[in-house]
């Protein structure tokens, strides 16, 4: 092959394939879309084959693009491993550590611990991605991430697990709501009022739906939103109430416009855990991050 394959361009192509959009991939990799597009064009020139087809709806991989994406993903993983191994030979802690985390851990606990970790290990870059709990666990099992933080789950056989934080579910209400006089609220009582659904299909949404079915009620929220901050805006103007993690309520519903009450059910006592594929030895940067997250 006449031209050399640039590893960075290959990584950008893999990210673009995963995101399904040049614009989203550029934002994730912190590069201008035009520069990313040129990198992919250079990669196609190096392979002398079309890798993707662009359209107003996004991108679609060619057959060659699918092969390059699959091999490129493994190549990037091996390259990051090589970089960490070489640094460790020199006694340094560096390289890239992949971290997948669910929404509530990213809102309430991770930022401060990651900031402290980065101060101690400036040569380590954290590749942080938000995922649902089920996707975090699956990524750990498939070795697609080095560390995962999410709600404690029973479907984690084959992974090492450490406590991360307690993040119980609470009910967030607008000030002067009829239920604000209660010290704690049962889920059935909360369901008698208009509910706000957050992140349909996520772990919390599925949990609420399953427990509504157990008590013979239909989980039919009045408003559906994608995030906890938007849910709190809806609560603030009186469009409904919501069950959410304490971390999210602390971040977005801490003013006097809101009332927060514990959810009485035992299943509301959620625990967040750190997960990692069982490995021995484990890369030093990954192990250092795990120790930092454990506090």
């Amino acid at each position: 092959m006449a031209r050399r394959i640039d590893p960075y361009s290959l990584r950008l192509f893999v990210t673009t394939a995963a995101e399904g959009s040049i614009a989203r991939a550029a934002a994730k990799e912190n590069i201008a879309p035009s520069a990313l597009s040129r990198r992919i064009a250079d990669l196609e020139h190096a392979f002398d084959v079309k890798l993707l087809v662009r359209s107003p709806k996004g991108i679609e991989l060619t057959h060659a693009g699918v092969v390059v994406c699959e091999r490129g993903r493994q190549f990037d993983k091996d390259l990051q491993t090589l970089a960490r191994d070489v640094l460790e030979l020199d006694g340094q802690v560096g390289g890239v550590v992949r971290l997948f985390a669910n929404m509530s851990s990213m809102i309430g606990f991770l930022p401060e611990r990651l900031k402290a970790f980065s101060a101690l290990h400036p040569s380590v870059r954290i590749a942080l991605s938000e995922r649902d709990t089920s996707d975090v666990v699956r990524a750990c099992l498939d070795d697609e991430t080095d560390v995962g933080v999410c709600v404690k789950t029973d479907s984690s056989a084959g992974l090492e697990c450490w406590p991360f934080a307690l993040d119980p579910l609470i009910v967030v209400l607008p000030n002067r709501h009829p239920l604000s006089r209660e010290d704690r609220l049962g889920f059935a009582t909360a369901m008698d009022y208009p509910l706000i659904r957050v992140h349909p299909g996520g772990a919390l949404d599925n949990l609420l739906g399953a427990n509504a079915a157990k008590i013979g009620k239909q989980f039919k929220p009045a408003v559906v939103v994608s995030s906890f901050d938007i849910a709190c805006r809806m609560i603030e103007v009186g469009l409904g109430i919501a069950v959410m993690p304490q971390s999210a309520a602390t971040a977005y519903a801490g003013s006097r416009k809101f009332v927060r009450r514990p959810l009485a059910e035992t299943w509301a006592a959620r625990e967040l855990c750190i997960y990692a594929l069982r490995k021995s030895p484990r890369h030093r940067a990954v192990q250092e991050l795990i120790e930092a997250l454990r506090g």
Side-chain angles (χ1 to χ4, degrees):
M1 188 174 293
R3 286 179 173 265
R4 295 179 179 178
I5 307 301
D6 177 49
Y8 180 53
S9 297
L10 188 60
R11 175 184 168 184
L12 292 176
F13 173 74
V14 170
T15 302
T16 302
E19 295 295 324
S21 161
I22 288 177
R24 288 196 296 270
K28 185 171 184 178
E29 292 290 346
N30 196 27
I31 184 175
S34 58
L36 187 148
S37 187
R38 286 195 300 272
R39 286 277 189 171
I40 292 178
D42 290 343
L43 196 62
E44 290 177 324
H45 190 191
F47 280 115
D48 195 24
V49 64
K50 200 74 173 174
L51 298 178
L52 55 81
V53 178
R54 298 165 175 83
S55 75
K57 296 182 179 179
I59 58 101
E60 182 177 349
L61 299 186
T62 63
H63 291 303
V66 172
V67 173
V68 171
C69 181
E70 292 176 352
R71 301 285 182 85
R73 187 180 295 111
Q74 184 60 49
F75 177 82
D76 186 61
K77 185 187 298 184
D78 291 342
L79 193 61
Q80 298 302 333
T81 300
L82 173 62
R84 288 190 300 214
D85 287 346
V86 171
L87 284 171
E88 288 182 13
L89 289 174
D90 196 34
Q92 299 182 51
V93 180
V96 179
V97 179
R98 302 163 299 170
L99 173 61
F100 282 13
N102 74 328
M103 186 189 302
S104 59
S105 66
M106 292 183 72
I107 291 171
F109 305 96
L110 268 179
E112 289 77 12
R113 298 193 197 185
L114 289 180
K115 182 179 180 181
F117 174 81
S118 296
L120 288 174
H121 304 290
S123 297
V124 179
R125 184 173 73 85
I126 304 297
L128 177 61
S129 298
E130 181 193 329
R131 295 289 192 275
D132 288 335
T133 288
S134 59
D135 294 330
V136 171
V137 173
R138 174 48 55 189
C140 290
L141 288 168
D142 292 343
D143 203 18
E144 293 181 357
T145 186
D146 300 303
V147 183
V149 180
C150 60
V151 178
K152 186 176 183 179
T153 174
D154 294 330
S155 57
S156 57
L159 300 178
E160 289 193 77
C161 174
W162 302 268
F164 178 66
L166 297 178
D167 196 18
L169 297 176
I170 65 174
V171 184
V172 180
L173 316 100
N175 198 10
R176 298 181 182 177
H177 190 277
L179 294 179
S180 63
R181 294 186 293 271
E182 303 294 329
D183 292 331
R184 55 198 296 113
L185 296 170
F187 186 46
T189 301
M191 289 193 68
D192 289 335
Y193 293 82
L195 287 177
I196 296 172
R197 184 179 190 179
V198 185
H199 192 35
L204 174 59
D205 185 58
N206 292 335
L207 176 67
L208 297 181
N211 281 283
K214 288 180 180 178
I215 59 177
K217 292 199 173 189
Q218 288 187 315
F219 187 49
K220 289 186 175 181
V223 179
V224 180
V225 299
S226 61
S227 62
F228 295 121
D229 56 333
I230 299 175
C232 288
R233 281 288 294 130
M234 301 298 109
I235 296 168
E236 183 181 356
V237 300
L239 289 176
I241 65 177
V243 176
M244 65 177 65
Q246 182 173 281
S247 57
T250 300
Y252 301 122
S255 73
R256 294 182 179 180
K257 297 176 182 179
F258 302 95
V259 173
R260 297 177 291 178
R261 293 292 179 262
L263 191 62
E265 274 67 20
T266 56
W267 50 263
R270 297 196 327 163
E271 181 181 356
L272 300 178
C273 289
I274 305 163
Y275 290 105
L277 191 62
R278 194 177 301 277
K279 289 183 178 181
S280 183
R282 183 174 281 119
H283 285 292
R284 187 177 171 191
V286 175
Q287 187 60 44
E288 292 289 346
L289 177 61
I290 291 172
E291 294 302 323
L293 295 181
R294 292 177 65 184

